[in-house]
Every structure is written in C-alpha cells, then in structure tokens.
Amino acid sequence: MKKDHILIVGAGLCGSLLALRLGQRGYSVTLVEKRPDLRLHPLDAGRSINLALSERGLKALNHVGLNDKVRALCIPMSGRMIHQNQTAPFFSPYSGRPDTAINSISRPGLNALLLNEVEALPNITLKFNLSCLSVALENGSATFIDNQQQEITLTGDILIGTDGAGSKVRQSMFAAPGLRFSFSQQWLSHGYKELEIPAGPNGSYLMNPEALHIWPRGKDMLIALPNLNGSFTVTLFMSYADQPYGFDHLTQPEAIADYFKTQYPDTLALMPDLVAQYQKNPTGGLGTIRCSPWHCHGKTLIMGDAAHAIVPFYGQGMNASFEDVLVFDQVLDQDHTNWPERFAAFEQARKLNTDAIADLALDNFHEMKEHTADPLFQQKRQLEVAFETELPQHYASKYSLVTFHADIPYHQAMQLGRAQDKAILSLLEEQQLPADLPLEERYQRVEKRTQQLLAQKPTLKHTSL
Ligand SMILES: Cc1cc2nc3c(=O)[nH]c(=O)nc-3n(C[C@H](O)[C@H](O)[C@H](O)COP(=O)(O)OP(=O)(O)OC[C@H]3O[C@@H](n4cnc5c(N)ncnc54)[C@H](O)[C@@H]3O)c2cc1C
C-alpha cells in the first residue's frame, strides 16, 4: 500500500529526527527549513551552541540506530561543579549511581548528524532557505518564501510543524476560526547571553570537563558546558530589568568588567576578551509556551518547541522534543486507522508530560541560581546521593527521575520527586534525619513521609522504580 506523503516544517533537532524516523518507516517525507544548510553555513554565534543530552533524548536517538554516532559527539558530565564566590569550587554528583551522567553535545554537530542520516534515505527530500509564511490547515499545505522572495506552496497528505518556539504553523492554528486554540506564553524576567572560555594550550581544558559548572549568585547565574575542542560555552542568565546589573542596563565596558569582577572573579582569567564577547553576542529571551490542541482537521500537527517550549533549566527541551518523536512512533504502532485518531492519541499521551517538564524547568531556575550553594539544599543532596549509592533499588531523586529514568513519564517523575523533596526538607528541618541514624532507617522515614504526602493527593500514584 502506498504510504502517505508527510510535509515537515522546520529541520531543527525535532524535525530532523522526526523526518528520519518517518523515513525509516517508509513514508515519503519532505523536510523544509528556513535557514541555509547548517552543514555548509555555521549557525549564528551565541545561540545555545551546546546542550545537555540525557536519557530521554538518547533513548529516541538509539531508537533510530544512532547510539554510537551520537556517543562520539558527547562529553559526559557526572555532576555540577559549584563555584561559590570567595571559596574553592566543590563537586556535587548528579546521582549516587555509578555511570550516570548527562552529556554536553554540540547543537550544530547533532543537527548535522541527523541531517546526514536524513539525506541518506531516498524517500526524504530536504529543502533549505524556504521560510514558512502560513499553513492551510485543512489540506496539509504551507506557503513558503525563498531567498528571491518567491512564494511557493508545498502540500503533504499531512503536515507536521516542528518549527520551534516561534512556530508559524502554530500561529496559523492560533488564527484559525472555530479551532478554539488556547495559547499562553510566559516570559521569564531573565534572558541569557552566551560567552566562551577558549581552549588552553594544545586544546586542553582550562576547567574540569566532566562537570557542568555553575556559579549560583541568587539573582543571576553563570553556567559552562565543555565542547570537544577544549573550549567551554558559558551562559550568563541575568534579569533584564535589575539595576545596575541587568541586561537592559549593563552595557558599558567598565560596568561589565566590574560585574564579573565582583560576581564571577574566577572567570576573568579564563575569558580575557570577556567584555568584547559580552558586547558582541546577542541576548536571548526565555519563555514557556503552552497551547492546545496540537492538531487540527486530522491534517496538521505540531510537536517539539512549536507545541511546548520550556525554559532551559532542566536541560530537557531537546530531550522532550526527541521523546515526542519516540511517542509519535509508538502511536503509529497502535491500531489507529486514521491521522485524526493518531494525532489525538499523541497529544493525549504527551500534553500532561510536557506541562510537567515545563513546571519542573521553572522550579529548577530558582533551584540552580539560589539553592545549589545553600547548606540545607546541600544536606538534602548529600542524603539523596547516599540513598542512590546504598539503596539504588529503592531511591531516585527528582533530578534522577527526570534525567536518568526515561521509562518514567515526566508527570510521574514530577509528582514523586516533589513529594520526596518535601519529605526530606521537612524531616531535615524537624531534625528527624540525624547523621548517626542508620541510612536504611533514614530512608524509611523519608519513604513514609513521601507516601503520606502522596496520599494527600488521591490522583497521585506511587511510581515504582
Ligand atoms: C539557552 C538555551 C539552552 C538550552 N539548553 C538545553 C539543554 O541543555 N538540553 C535540552 O534538552 N534542551 C535545551 N534547550 C532547549 C532546546 O534548544 C529546544 O527544546 C530544542 O531546540 C527544540 O527543538 P525543535 O526542533 O523543536 O526547535 P528548534 O531547535 O528551534 O528548531 C526549529 C527549526 O525550525 C526552523 N524554522 C523556524 N521557523 C521556520 C519557518 N517559518 N519555516 C521553516 N523553518 C522554520 C528553525 O530554523 C529551526 O531549524 C535550550 C534552549 C536554550 C534557549
């Protein structure tokens, strides 16, 4: 039987993986991208050059047979290196289980790998430099404009929008009469700016490359992830409006140098051209997008950031977008007979979970910049690491549930993880977890309190590991 032709708008991370999987399933796919081919034209500087890839994303990439090729691009980071002002940095592992790490990976490197794989399939057509203007939602067609300002229309049996947070496909759904499209965009008070710590002599790393480096400063935060060439991509998260240290106000060279001297003194020697980089690189906004429905007329669907953009503080936006592709693939294995049913099943399976990771990412914004260096938070982390080391069958922290347990949906990870957090923090405050109590007994207390908290919410189920 002839397979449908699928038009995908947006050849970023989600669209490329989706095209690859649908191509592998035998569909005829046209994948259209507004930018030039990034394998020939490097991306603009300063646009999240590297990302943290973890189990959910790896599971989806493994599913299309790319495990080895992706691993070759990864730098494992097994914990956070916390740089406090005035004192020596300390390492806080992500988990007490051995061999658990998140991976720093180049965005263009990963996207290029996916595009190479896409291009190798004869049933996929790739088109660059075509920017989608609007979508005729009822017939799976979209109008694009090319570099010569010529408009062209492409049509599929279905159309899937993976065109990112500013999605034109979603905008067409928003404007569609009668769809009752719900949409919210919640901007964060903070934006981000990328900087670079260059490689040392002979491509050496100037800091430990096996950690995600964080400089938590209460209001603002700096993080750094390693690159394969010995450099680190540094991201400054700072409020726009705060005075004098906000992106809207911090523009003069002396003030920029002064800010880093006061807040991040150990980075000055690592970034000799810091002020020039700060002034040259763009500042990006951070927001959460929620919307529904994700599909209409059984012809058009959105996924990835187009459907659920989140703030980057759990390192899960790309991972969630890759998980979308995996879940869509599972839906295609179910015995639905038409696209409207498949689209509805996909949204039903995903929406609750992408809403959960959106909430968790916002929580982590506060945790990373305010709490990572806080003594109570540190006490909790040490206990969690001890539970994960000694009782790995029984305990996984919220971070581990989200990051390392791809088999546990985000919303279950959120419910269990939040209850555990609350249980440990309240027991620590009540001094119910003294260090001289055997670890097993401390775990029992935490587990009991966690169950009590979960029982207060009858809709919550206990998630078993
Ligand atoms: C600072 C920052 C740090 C991040 N860190 C992490 C991290 O560590 N881990 C993680 O998992 N996630 C992270 N993310 C999130 C991650 O970048 C996104 O979730 C991910 O890129 C989503 O993939 P996507 O394909 O849906 O969208 P995108 O990657 O945005 O891709 C959309 C594609 O569509 C194209 N496009 C857009 N408009 C059109 C149009 N009109 N016509 C045709 N094509 C179009 C774009 O050019 C692009 O190629 C981070 C995000 C930011 C901003």
Side-chain angles (χ1 to χ4, degrees), residues 203-435:
S204 59
Y205 290 100
L206 295 178
M207 302 188 296
N208 179 350
E210 289 163 8
L212 188 153
H213 294 256
I214 306 187
W215 291 255
R217 294 294 180 264
K219 280 183 164 182
D220 308 331
M221 165 174 73
L222 202 65
I223 66 167
L225 277 75
N227 297 308
L228 286 173
N229 66 0
S231 68
F232 285 81
T233 301
V234 178
T235 310
L236 169 65
F237 295 98
M238 185 166 69
S239 121
Y240 282 98
D242 281 356
Q243 295 218 35
Y245 299 138
F247 282 122
D248 291 344
H249 306 283
L250 190 62
T251 53
Q252 296 308 308
E254 307 75 47
I256 297 164
D258 198 47
Y259 170 65
F260 276 81
K261 216 178 286 170
T262 330
Q263 294 295 327
Y264 314 110
D266 53 335
T267 64
L268 291 177
L270 302 171
M271 291 189 283
D273 60 342
L274 160 73
V275 172
Q277 286 196 49
Y278 182 99
Q279 291 190 307
K280 184 169 133 266
N281 290 353
T283 306
L286 299 166
T288 304
I289 288 175
R290 297 173 208 253
C291 64
S292 79
W294 290 354
H295 57 96
C296 63
H297 306 301
K299 280 280 183 185
T300 306
L301 172 73
I302 47 176
M303 67 169 78
D305 271 18
H308 49 75
I310 61 177
V311 295
F313 302 102
Y314 235 107
Q316 286 293 319
M318 163 187 62
N319 287 287
S321 300
F322 284 168
E323 197 175 61
D324 279 359
V325 176
L326 195 62
V327 172
F328 191 63
D329 192 55
Q330 287 159 356
V331 166
L332 295 181
D333 286 336
Q334 295 164 1
D335 52 2
H336 303 291
T337 53
N338 54 47
W339 289 111
E341 280 182 13
R342 292 178 191 122
F343 289 175
F346 171 69
E347 182 172 349
Q348 169 81 17
R350 284 309 277 160
K351 178 81 174 113
L352 187 64
N353 291 309
T354 56
D355 280 348
I357 191 59
D359 289 343
L360 285 166
L362 285 164
D363 289 354
N364 228 31
F365 168 54
H366 302 290
E367 178 172 316
M368 283 175 81
K369 70 185 174 57
E370 289 162 26
H371 303 317
T372 44
D374 173 84
L376 189 62
F377 179 85
Q378 278 308 312
Q379 228 182 316
K380 171 173 159 291
R381 279 302 298 151
Q382 279 160 13
L383 194 59
E384 289 187 306
V385 169
F387 287 163
E388 288 184 332
T389 312
E390 302 299 328
L391 308 162
Q393 259 49 269
H394 298 294
Y395 192 84
S397 70
K398 184 176 72 185
Y399 186 86
S400 288
L401 291 166
V402 170
T403 309
F404 303 122
H405 287 266
D407 49 329
I408 297 179
Y410 282 128
H411 85 278
Q412 286 183 24
M414 177 177 77
Q415 290 171 342
L416 176 58
R418 281 183 172 172
Q420 288 176 169
D421 281 356
K422 216 170 163 180
I424 297 186
L425 286 171
S426 60
L427 287 165
L428 282 172
E429 272 173 342
E430 293 162 22
Q431 301 186 346
Q432 296 282 322
L433 301 172

Side-chain angles (χ1 to χ4, degrees), residues 9-15 32-35 48 50-53 107 130-132 144 162-165 168 192 194 225 235 237 286 303-306 312 315-319 321:
V9 180
L13 296 169
C14 184
V32 190
E33 168 60 40
K34 80 170 175 191
R35 293 200 175 116
S48 71
N50 57 20
L51 303 157
L53 172 67
R107 177 196 290 273
L130 284 181
S131 180
C132 176
F144 298 85
T162 49
D163 49 344
K168 288 284 181 202
Y192 74 99
E194 290 194 345
L225 277 75
T235 310
F237 295 98
L286 299 166
M303 67 169 78
D305 271 18
Q316 286 293 319
M318 163 187 62
N319 287 287
S321 300

